[in-house]
Amino acid sequence: MMKELEKFIEIFEGLDCAYGITRKSNQFDERGKNKTDSFTILKPPGKNLWKNHLEGKDPGLGIVPIRKDNKCKWGCIDIDVYDGLDHKKIIQQLKSKNIPIVVFRSKSGGAHCFLFAKEPIPAIIMRAKLKLIASAIGYANAEIFPKQDYIRVDRGDTGSFLNLPYHGDDRTMRFAYDENGEALKIEDFFEAYKEKAMSLDELKNLKIANDKEGDDFFKGMPPCLVTLLSDGVPNGQRNNCMYNVGVYLKKRYSEKDEWQSHMFTYNKKFMEPPLDVGE
């Protein structure tokens, strides 16, 4: 048990000065999910909490992935769907695109899609890749963990926690799936982790096969900008986004004086609502 515990902590460690707990009620929301009360505890997540989690003692443990140095060792796409969610289909989508993610069943029956790193990497890079992956598999609006690019612990920031899998070890309903959609025992998950965890360079070079790549609008565009435009740019972010679009267009059409006319096209297609012509 101790070896298993140490490995589990090594994989899922995060912020060392706070953790989360979630208590489930007997009430359900309109999606069929148990209503819960969540709390962030401003104390280090001691080893005993991890041990209790694997033993199945309530409440389970939630860990904040982003650390004080704004790096993380894991990230997650939280697919918050419970009625008829096909975990196996998600697994096959990821496999077909050669994306090394481990899919877990969440405590309420949704999907937690974990991307693991062999070393602490900048949270901003992890988030950018996960947003692109979420869009590529049809869940562009899913929550992404870490939820923050940066935190400042010195001013009281704690980030946002995610409930960990394997609450109750191999008795759990929060398990990882293999590539055939079968439940993995925790020792088998450790093997899947070793196979799929990535270095920083591997993550930077990870290509995400997205259906939008065939769209000429996104040719050669940075992945983070593709994701932002794909989700639709709301009021409040339009000026900054269109500035970055302008930089992209000036590089793309460097030999032609076309970029300004393209700006109007992108503005009309992607801004909600479009900026006025003067702006």
Side-chain angles (χ1 to χ4, degrees), residues 2-277:
M2 287 305 298
K3 184 178 179 181
E4 179 182 284
L5 176 62
E6 295 292 342
K7 185 63 178 178
F8 190 76
I9 294 173
E10 178 188 346
I11 292 172
F12 288 103
E13 65 182 346
L15 188 66
D16 64 2
C17 60
Y19 64 92
I21 59 172
T22 300
R23 291 192 174 94
K24 186 165 60 175
S25 74
N26 292 322
Q27 296 180 319
F28 296 85
D29 63 18
E30 64 279 0
R31 298 168 299 172
K33 179 180 179 180
N34 279 105
K35 291 184 177 180
T36 57
D37 294 314
S38 296
F39 308 91
T40 297
I41 311 297
L42 301 179
K43 293 180 180 179
K47 185 177 290 188
N48 196 52
L49 292 171
W50 295 83
K51 182 174 179 288
N52 288 344
H53 178 87
L54 289 182
E55 290 177 351
K57 296 178 181 177
D58 288 323
L61 179 60
I63 291 294
V64 179
I66 189 169
R67 312 181 330 167
K68 292 177 181 177
D69 59 2
N70 295 311
K71 294 183 178 182
C72 59
K73 291 183 68 177
W74 56 270
C76 181
I77 303 167
D78 182 7
I79 301 177
D80 213 15
V81 177
Y82 310 104
D83 186 12
L85 181 65
D86 189 341
H87 294 82
K88 191 170 183 178
K89 181 180 178 180
I90 295 170
I91 293 165
Q92 292 304 314
Q93 282 181 292
L94 292 163
K95 185 178 180 181
S96 69
K97 297 175 185 294
N98 296 314
I99 300 172
I101 272 184
V102 181
V103 177
F104 291 74
R105 184 188 185 278
S106 72
K107 62 184 175 63
S108 298
H112 284 173
C113 304
F114 277 86
L115 185 60
F116 295 105
K118 296 176 182 177
E119 59 199 275
I121 65 169
I124 192 170
I125 295 176
M126 175 68 79
R127 282 173 45 78
K129 286 293 183 181
L130 288 173
K131 287 179 183 179
L132 196 58
I133 293 168
S135 179
I137 62 174
Y139 293 96
N141 295 321
E143 280 190 295
I144 301 296
F145 289 82
K147 285 191 176 183
Q148 300 80 17
D149 292 334
Y150 306 98
I151 61 171
R152 282 185 53 185
V153 175
D154 62 312
R155 69 180 182 190
D157 295 351
T158 59
S160 302
F161 72 85
L162 182 72
N163 294 302
L164 294 184
Y166 288 102
H167 182 220
D169 204 320
D170 290 339
R171 307 183 309 279
T172 187
M173 291 301 292
R174 306 185 205 175
F175 48 74
Y177 292 97
D178 67 14
E179 293 190 346
N180 297 313
E182 300 296 328
L184 288 174
K185 293 185 177 181
I186 194 167
E187 288 293 339
D188 296 321
F189 156 64
F190 291 156
E191 292 301 314
Y193 163 82
K194 285 196 296 184
E195 180 183 331
K196 296 191 175 184
M198 307 182 75
S199 68
L200 177 57
D201 286 341
E202 288 171 333
L203 184 60
K204 285 181 177 179
N205 294 323
L206 178 64
K207 303 298 182 184
I208 311 301
N210 194 315
D211 294 338
K212 295 183 176 64
E213 288 179 349
D215 192 333
D216 193 54
F217 281 105
F218 300 99
K219 183 178 179 180
M221 182 178 284
C224 55
L225 191 54
V226 173
T227 301
L228 183 59
L229 293 179
S230 299
D231 291 347
V233 184
N235 194 356
Q237 299 181 30
R238 297 173 301 161
N239 285 326
N240 185 55
C241 182
M242 283 304 296
Y243 172 81
N244 286 288
V245 169
V247 171
Y248 157 73
L249 290 173
K250 289 195 77 173
K251 291 179 179 178
R252 179 173 174 180
Y253 297 101
S254 59
E255 298 178 1
K256 304 174 185 177
D257 191 18
E258 296 180 9
W259 69 273
Q260 287 181 317
S261 62
H262 286 291
M263 283 282 283
F264 292 110
T265 302
Y266 279 76
N267 179 43
K268 183 177 180 179
K269 183 173 179 64
F270 296 107
M271 299 302 112
E272 299 178 359
L275 294 168
D276 62 52
V277 175

